[in-house]
Amino acid sequence: MELKQVNEFLWEIPRIGGMRVPGRIYASRRIIDDIRDDPCLEQVANVAHLPGIAGYSLAMPDIHWGYGFPIGGVAATDAEEGVISPGGVGYDINCGVRLLRTNLPYSTVADRADALADALFATIPAGVGSEGAIPTLDLSEMRRLVRDGADWALRQGYATRADIDHTEENGRLAMANPDAVSAEAYARGRRQLGTLGSGNHFLELGRVDQIFLPAEAERLGLGHDAVTVIIHSGSRGLGHQTCDDYLRTIGKAMERYAIKLPDRQLACAPILSPEGQAYLAAMASAANFAWCNRQMMTHLTRRVFMETLGISERDLGMTLVYDVCHNIAKFEDHVVAGRRRRLCVHRKGATRAFAPGHPALPDAVRAIGQPVLIPGDMGRYSYVLIGAEGAMRETFGSTCHGAGRVMSRARAKKEARGRDLIAELRAAGVTIRYQGRATVAEEMPAAYKDVADVVAVMEGAGVSRRVARLKPFAVIKG
Amino acid sequence: MPRNAATREIEHTGDVGIEVLAATREELFAEAIVALGRIMYETDNIRDRECRKLTVFADDDADLMHDALSAALNLFLIDAFLWRDANVIAISGGIEAELIGEPFDRSRHRLHEELKAVTYHRLAVERTPSGWRAVVIFDA
């Protein structure tokens, strides 16, 4: 794959063959050298074939090999002439991350880390066969939930108004339509509200160990050494089934729209087609479920902290800093080649990172830019960023979403043989609770890039800025 | 039922992939279904107490593999049914699969991980000189 260096942090795949635009990858020299022969670059080029794609097929520095789209990919398609691709959103629709801050200094909970981890693991179910702390919902309640998103949780007493205000899109995409979601998707989702799931999903307790931008950190309520909670999860089976349902429908419809693409997993349909509109309505419904899912886990986390530590809600002060989605397609206005255009921005393992002043941001953070939450691996650290002007100029308001894998799951399991990863994490000051030992092996710290290298690229490119670094002390995994 | 088939995990950075080899087409599908179960849970403690039947139709073998594995995945995810073996017979335009196992019992069964979906990425079902081969990538 031919790669041209544009600047210190940007590389270009020139347009060839059926590519409608060039590909562009944000990466340092070291990151690009590591992926030069990886299939993920071919996936960046494949995405450039999508009808109506604007500007560039983009990839963030946490890029790795996905299915269809690379993980870390961003593609913006024209809202009228372009296509929507379920594969460009992924199976885990509105997989995302939320960050909670507390009034608690780490020193006050350090000796309660195991008790908190035990209680969280017992209260927040991982998935299959778990008895949910949230009652199973009937179909009519599920339909209201996917229509109303986080507002449903607010009505039920599981959220505060401030939670809603600090959630991307206020936790609800209005284009949701409960009729667009299949019976199988509802069946998969109805017992999973408030569940974490397995794979790379987690709940992590940490503390603020480094502050880069003091004024911005203060605005976000992140004091040095304060205890934080990160929740990483998505739309669970409801979203996974929705993606699968529409990949099938749209895959079959492509011939009718004379769309030919190099990878079947890139299946897409014109945004304005009946299939495209139906997918968007279903995707929005699944996204709304995901916001409720993370909100329910927030509710349970608050309860666990208060009960385990014997403190009041006021003393705990557990408020939502922000909730971001990193697997989603959204309609946004961006300037491309000097012209403002309405675009459908697919973010597949990429995070919205709007710059200061953007009207979509809540009042509390509009002056500083959108908070962006970038989890690292479970042994090192995570970052809180804010969006910067470069994102609006170059990346359709997007930045990275995590560290990015460097090791396949199969290889990670091989590397973990004969090692006691639990003890290694314990030695690094991290206590872990988990359902599947294989998941711990697959998610071992060495399976990921150092997230510090990833966020440094985005800062160097002027796309986002580091506000604070968080160090984990307890991790709950499905 | 003993099968002339084998599965190996293949390298894929973000997800879980398998390559399945079998002497016959029916054994290929049966082995892939059993391999899916092995990824998600420990099969040693599963008793042969119940049989669940899946009937799947598709236009070609790749779609048939996708749809059969997706149906089996939903049996686990929606009904919490765990299987340790599978028998497959070919029918016109599709397959019938019998999955043999029992409902999930937290006190005896050990889960590995939950898969999200069967992807179309690099999905292949093909005849080889010595039998049949399939490649499937799961979103994990």
Side-chain angles (χ1 to χ4, degrees):
Chain A
M1 180 72 65
E2 185 189 350
L3 272 176
K4 287 183 181 166
Q5 185 162 14
V6 178
N7 60 42
E8 186 181 355
F9 299 109
L10 186 58
W11 307 74
E12 184 163 310
I13 302 172
R15 190 179 154 191
I16 51 163
M19 290 170 70
R20 295 168 191 262
V21 294
R24 281 194 159 185
I25 301 113
Y26 287 84
S28 61
R29 161 73 66 180
R30 194 170 68 178
I31 290 174
I32 210 78
D33 284 345
D34 286 344
I35 60 171
R36 205 172 273 279
D37 299 320
D38 192 279
C40 64
L41 295 183
E42 186 186 329
Q43 292 185 319
V44 175
N46 289 347
V47 170
H49 290 70
L50 290 176
I53 188 168
Y56 301 93
S57 163
L58 294 176
M60 303 296 118
D62 47 338
I63 181 174
H64 57 280
W65 190 19
Y67 39 85
F69 270 61
I71 313 296
V74 177
T77 52
D78 188 274
E80 291 187 359
E81 307 292 326
V83 293
I84 175 79
S85 170
V89 173
Y91 285 96
D92 199 359
I93 295 166
N94 189 6
C95 184
V97 185
R98 64 172 46 193
L99 173 66
L100 305 161
R101 50 80 63 199
T102 70
N103 291 339
L104 308 172
Y106 173 66
S107 57
T108 63
V109 304
D111 61 352
R112 306 304 309 279
D114 281 302
L116 283 168
D118 287 337
L120 286 165
F121 188 65
T123 306
I124 297 181
V128 170
S130 304
E131 292 300 320
I134 307 295
T136 300
L137 304 180
D138 64 26
L139 182 60
S140 57
E141 202 60 47
M142 282 289 285
R143 289 173 60 87
R144 282 192 281 274
L145 185 154
V146 302
R147 182 193 65 196
D148 297 341
D151 285 343
W152 179 90
L154 182 66
R155 277 203 309 272
Q156 303 291 323
Y158 294 118
T160 66
R161 172 50 63 189
D163 291 340
I164 307 295
D165 291 344
H166 288 78
T167 302
E168 196 169 314
E169 304 293 338
N170 296 124
R172 177 175 184 249
L173 286 178
M175 60 189 168
N177 179 356
D179 292 338
V181 178
S182 72
E184 288 78 14
Y186 281 121
R188 281 179 69 170
R190 61 193 289 265
R191 287 190 184 86
Q192 294 186 324
L193 190 63
T195 65
L196 200 50
S198 62
N200 60 359
H201 293 157
F202 63 82
L203 186 151
E204 180 179 291
L205 309 185
R207 62 193 165 99
V208 180
D209 90 319
Q210 208 173 341
I211 289 176
F212 303 93
L213 298 173
E216 285 78 0
E218 191 180 345
R219 179 70 72 97
L220 299 179
L222 297 172
H224 187 72
D225 219 31
V227 171
T228 57
V229 181
I230 296 175
I231 298 172
H232 177 209
S233 187
S235 49
R236 310 288 287 113
L238 187 138
H240 312 161
Q241 185 67 44
T242 296
C243 179
D244 197 48
D245 290 339
Y246 282 91
L247 274 174
R248 203 179 310 226
T249 311
I250 285 178
K252 286 183 177 154
M254 278 174 56
E255 199 173 336
R256 195 162 352 116
Y257 298 112
I259 299 172
K260 286 197 168 63
L261 293 168
D263 185 338
R264 188 176 178 186
Q265 193 71 35
L266 288 176
C268 60
I271 287 169
L272 299 181
S273 69
E275 294 86 357
Q277 289 293 300
Y279 170 70
L280 283 164
M283 180 209 73
S285 305
N288 290 348
F289 182 89
W291 275 310
C292 277
N293 189 37
R294 292 196 288 275
Q295 185 60 47
M296 304 313 261
M297 285 187 273
T298 302
H299 169 77
L300 295 172
T301 302
R302 284 176 172 144
R303 204 177 76 193
V304 164
F305 265 74
M306 288 191 288
E307 288 174 3
T308 307
L309 302 176
I311 57 174
S312 68
E313 190 167 2
R314 189 187 179 128
D315 287 342
L316 173 62
M318 187 179 278
T319 55
L320 180 58
V321 174
Y322 208 65
D323 177 301
V324 295
C325 10
H326 53 225
N327 280 7
I328 196 88
K330 297 232 282 255
F331 290 95
E332 298 168 2
D333 292 329
H334 291 281
V335 176
V336 183
R339 187 162 67 92
R340 180 162 287 277
R341 293 173 63 181
R342 187 77 175 153
L343 299 170
C344 177
V345 183
H346 298 67
R347 297 190 180 97
K348 167 82 173 288
T351 316
R352 197 184 76 176
F354 284 169
H358 197 286
L361 299 180
D363 294 343
V365 299
R366 190 172 300 131
I368 61 170
Q370 186 200 310
V372 180
L373 318 165
I374 308 295
D377 61 79
M378 58 191 174
R380 281 181 275 198
Y381 29 67
S382 298
Y383 281 87
V384 181
L385 317 178
I386 45 170
E389 280 303 327
M392 309 318 294
R393 280 196 310 269
E394 295 185 22
T395 62
F396 306 109
S398 313
T399 190
C400 56
H401 88 304
R405 291 191 78 94
V406 286
M407 200 185 278
S408 74
R409 289 168 190 267
R411 203 177 123 214
K413 279 190 282 192
K414 274 183 209 152
E415 296 267 332
R417 271 182 210 147
R419 286 172 61 178
D420 186 347
L421 292 172
I422 314 301
E424 288 177 28
L425 284 166
R426 172 71 75 176
V430 181
T431 185
I432 182 167
R433 301 293 181 277
Y434 56 93
Q435 183 160 277
R437 189 171 277 269
T439 306
V440 178
E442 288 172 3
E443 295 293 311
M444 63 195 278
Y448 286 88
K449 290 172 200 161
D450 185 343
V451 70
D453 295 340
V454 172
V455 297
V457 169
M458 297 321 282
E459 184 155 321
V463 168
S464 49
R465 301 164 72 203
R466 288 168 297 181
V467 176
R469 192 176 81 166
L470 316 175
K471 210 148 173 56
F473 64 88
V475 177
I476 313 299
K477 287 205 67 79
Chain B
M1 177 183 286
R3 268 187 304 279
N4 190 0
T7 302
R8 73 176 182 97
E9 198 169 335
I10 55 175
E11 296 280 326
H12 190 279
T13 314
D15 297 295
V16 175
I18 55 170
E19 181 188 41
V20 186
L21 301 172
T24 69
R25 182 170 168 270
E26 286 81 359
E27 286 178 321
L28 185 81
F29 279 93
E31 174 67 15
I33 289 169
V34 174
L36 167 64
R38 278 199 301 262
I39 294 169
M40 298 190 291
Y41 47 77
E42 189 71 55
T43 52
D44 292 350
N45 286 338
I46 298 171
R47 297 171 186 158
D48 300 348
R49 286 171 50 193
E50 285 182 36
C51 175
R52 301 284 177 99
K53 194 171 276 191
L54 302 174
T55 306
V56 186
F57 299 97
D59 295 336
D60 58 47
D61 278 349
D63 275 358
L64 196 58
M65 181 63 81
H66 173 274
D67 293 358
L69 292 176
S70 297
L73 182 62
N74 276 352
L75 201 56
F76 173 68
L77 295 172
I78 297 174
D79 297 348
F81 182 79
L82 280 61
W83 59 94
R84 62 174 295 154
D85 202 359
N87 298 314
V88 169
I89 56 166
I91 57 174
S92 175
I95 57 164
E96 262 181 19
E98 282 182 346
L99 280 63
I100 300 137
E102 62 179 335
F104 175 60
D105 177 345
R106 177 170 295 284
S107 67
R108 286 189 299 109
H109 297 143
R110 209 174 125 220
L111 300 177
H112 293 322
E113 66 180 312
E114 202 181 288
L115 297 174
K116 296 187 184 109
V118 183
T119 78
Y120 291 102
H121 179 57
R122 302 204 163 187
L123 178 65
V125 175
E126 61 195 13
R127 264 200 112 117
T128 66
S130 55
W132 288 77
R133 173 180 179 270
V135 172
V136 187
I137 309 284
F138 301 100
D139 187 5

